[in-house]
């Protein structure tokens, strides 16, 4: 796996290091490329092309966000879709949407894997997703549809959000607002997946769900830290292994 970081964003540095560490633990080789913040877009495109051509590289990941002078869509689109282990390339997004084999965005894939591991019934379940981003909300909706759930996607303009959320058998929060989802949003007995990673006023890492008020009424709830975050890394390794097998003609 080739991991590219441009600049010094502290959160990105933590994510990149965690990914490299996970590679080492599983015996997967990782190549790190740390470029200065003022790197020219052209130079990054050249590096990606070199990695696209390199037969020893099966996964390429470009840590987001990128500096302002770079066009994220152009950069992501330049990665060979077969090596796009983040699942952000438009080809992989399209394949997911039409229900074909794709490299699926890691956080949404981790959410589904977690639900399945805990044997949460998905077929026909009412699933409400708060957040419609391209990296979490939309792909998790596609995956839940694939699992035959009935899916509602909500966002900042949704009217009467607590009432919509209370319809959910499975509530997935991917908002980026510390502890916004309180017990008022949750039907007793619902399963709650918290994708958010935020810092609260005290500087503590918390999710989008107010764990203290929601956990007593939820059937199950994923913690932050320790829930979806580690699943995301696990799915990144899975995607890299899948990419390796496909490129080498093993599957
Ligand atoms: P994003 O791109 O900022 O999207 C946030 C979404 O939440 C948007 O669709 C936005 O609606 C919606 N939203 C914002 N305020 C809202 C409100 N008051 N009511 C209802 N909806 C609201 O964020 P993201 O990239 O999807 O990330 C979401 C969270 O997940 C963040 O905390 C991020 O750090 C975390 N995350 C975690 C992982 C992991 O590995 N665990 C991976 C990725 C992201 P509009 O579209 O209307 O603006």
């Amino acid at each position: 796996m080739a991991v590219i970081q441009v600049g010094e964003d502290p959160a990105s540095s933590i994510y990149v290091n965690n990914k490299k560490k996970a590679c080492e633990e599983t015996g997967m080789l990782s190549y790190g490329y740390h470029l200065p913040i003022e790197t020219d877009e052209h130079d990054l495109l050249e590096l990606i092309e070199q990695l696209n051509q390199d037969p020893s590289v099966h996964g390429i990941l470009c840590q987001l966000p990128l500096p302002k002078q770079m066009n994220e869509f152009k950069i992501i689109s330049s990665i060979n879709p077969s090596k796009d282990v983040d699942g952000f390339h438009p080809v992989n997004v399209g394949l997911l949407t039409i229900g074909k084999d794709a490299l699926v965005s890691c956080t949404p894939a981790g959410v589904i894997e977690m639900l399945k591991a805990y044997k949460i019934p998905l077929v026909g379940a009412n699933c409400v997703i708060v957040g419609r981003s391209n990296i979490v909300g939309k792909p998790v909706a596609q995956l839940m549809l694939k699992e035959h759930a009935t899916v509602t996607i909500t966002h900042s303009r949704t009217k009467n959000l607590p009432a919509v959320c209370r319809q959910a058998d499975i509530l997935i929060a991917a908002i980026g607002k510390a502890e916004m989802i309180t017990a008022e949003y949750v039907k007793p007995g619902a399963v709650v997946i918290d994708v958010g990673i935020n810092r609260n006023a005290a500087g503590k890492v918390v999710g989008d769900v107010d764990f203290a008020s929601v956990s007593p009424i939820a059937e199950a709830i994923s913690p932050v830290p320790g829930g979806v975050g580690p699943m995301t890394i696990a799915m990144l390794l899975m995607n890299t292994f899948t990419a390796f097998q496909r490129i080498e003609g093993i599957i």
Side-chain angles (χ1 to χ4, degrees), residues 15 107 130-133 135-137 154-157 161 174-177 180 195-198 208 228-229 232:
Y15 296 146
T107 300
V130 192
R132 56 173 163 180
S133 72
I135 64 166
V136 188
T154 67
H155 45 78
S156 66
R157 316 284 175 90
L161 186 62
I175 315 161
K177 296 254 152 77
M180 185 186 116
V195 179
I197 303 176
N198 316 285
D208 289 341
V228 174
T232 298

Side-chain angles (χ1 to χ4, degrees), residues 163-182:
V164 178
C165 290
R166 280 197 304 271
Q167 300 297 312
D169 303 315
I170 300 171
L171 180 62
I172 301 176
I175 315 161
K177 296 254 152 77
E179 299 172 321
M180 185 186 116
I181 302 294
T182 54

Side-chain angles (χ1 to χ4, degrees), residues 23-240:
C23 280
E24 279 162 24
E25 278 166 17
T26 51
M28 207 177 266
L29 270 182
S30 83
Y31 305 134
Y33 298 87
H34 196 166
L35 310 180
I37 190 155
E38 63 276 8
T39 300
D40 191 67
E41 186 182 75
H42 177 76
D43 293 339
L44 178 56
L45 288 167
E46 239 177 45
L47 170 63
I48 291 173
E49 189 44 32
Q50 193 187 313
L51 297 169
N52 282 340
Q53 302 296 337
D54 185 339
S56 73
V57 172
H58 300 92
I60 304 171
L61 181 158
C62 194
Q63 186 65 44
L64 302 180
L66 288 167
K68 283 191 257 341
Q69 73 273 20
M70 295 191 180
N71 177 335
E72 271 184 14
F73 181 73
K74 191 171 168 188
I75 299 295
I76 298 300
S77 303
S78 74
I79 296 173
N80 176 345
S82 329
K83 298 187 177 185
D84 166 42
V85 286
D86 254 341
F88 294 161
H89 192 287
V91 165
N92 282 315
V93 175
L95 287 170
L96 171 66
T97 307
I98 58 172
K100 300 282 181 201
D101 279 348
L103 290 170
V104 176
S105 176
C106 304
T107 300
V111 168
I112 303 295
E113 202 62 31
M114 189 192 290
L115 289 167
K116 286 186 174 172
Y118 283 94
K119 303 197 173 12
I120 308 293
L122 303 181
V123 178
N126 275 337
C127 173
V128 176
I129 298 158
V130 192
R132 56 173 163 180
S133 72
N134 290 333
I135 64 166
V136 188
K138 285 181 197 154
V140 89
Q142 292 295 344
L143 291 173
M144 288 301 280
L145 276 178
K146 208 168 158 195
E147 299 298 330
H148 311 292
T150 302
V151 177
T152 304
I153 306 180
T154 67
H155 45 78
S156 66
R157 316 284 175 90
T158 299
K159 290 186 183 140
N160 203 354
L161 186 62
V164 178
C165 290
R166 280 197 304 271
Q167 300 297 312
D169 303 315
I170 300 171
L171 180 62
I172 301 176
I175 315 161
K177 296 254 152 77
E179 299 172 321
M180 185 186 116
I181 302 294
T182 54
E184 187 204 353
Y185 291 70
V186 179
K187 177 172 74 175
V191 170
V192 180
I193 302 286
D194 191 353
V195 179
I197 303 176
N198 316 285
R199 279 193 194 274
N200 68 9
K204 188 176 161 222
V205 174
V206 296
D208 289 341
V209 177
D210 175 26
F211 194 89
S213 78
V214 172
S215 57
I217 60 165
E219 150 113 17
I221 178 168
S222 70
V224 177
V228 174
M231 288 306 297
T232 298
I233 298 206
M235 297 319 290
L236 177 66
L237 298 177
M238 275 300 293
N239 270 353
T240 309

Side-chain angles (χ1 to χ4, degrees), residues 6-28:
V6 189
E8 303 296 338
D9 177 56
S12 292
S13 299
I14 293 171
Y15 296 146
V16 163
N17 279 334
N18 287 345
K19 288 165 188 175
K20 283 192 201 146
K21 226 189 307 166
C23 280
E24 279 162 24
E25 278 166 17
T26 51
M28 207 177 266

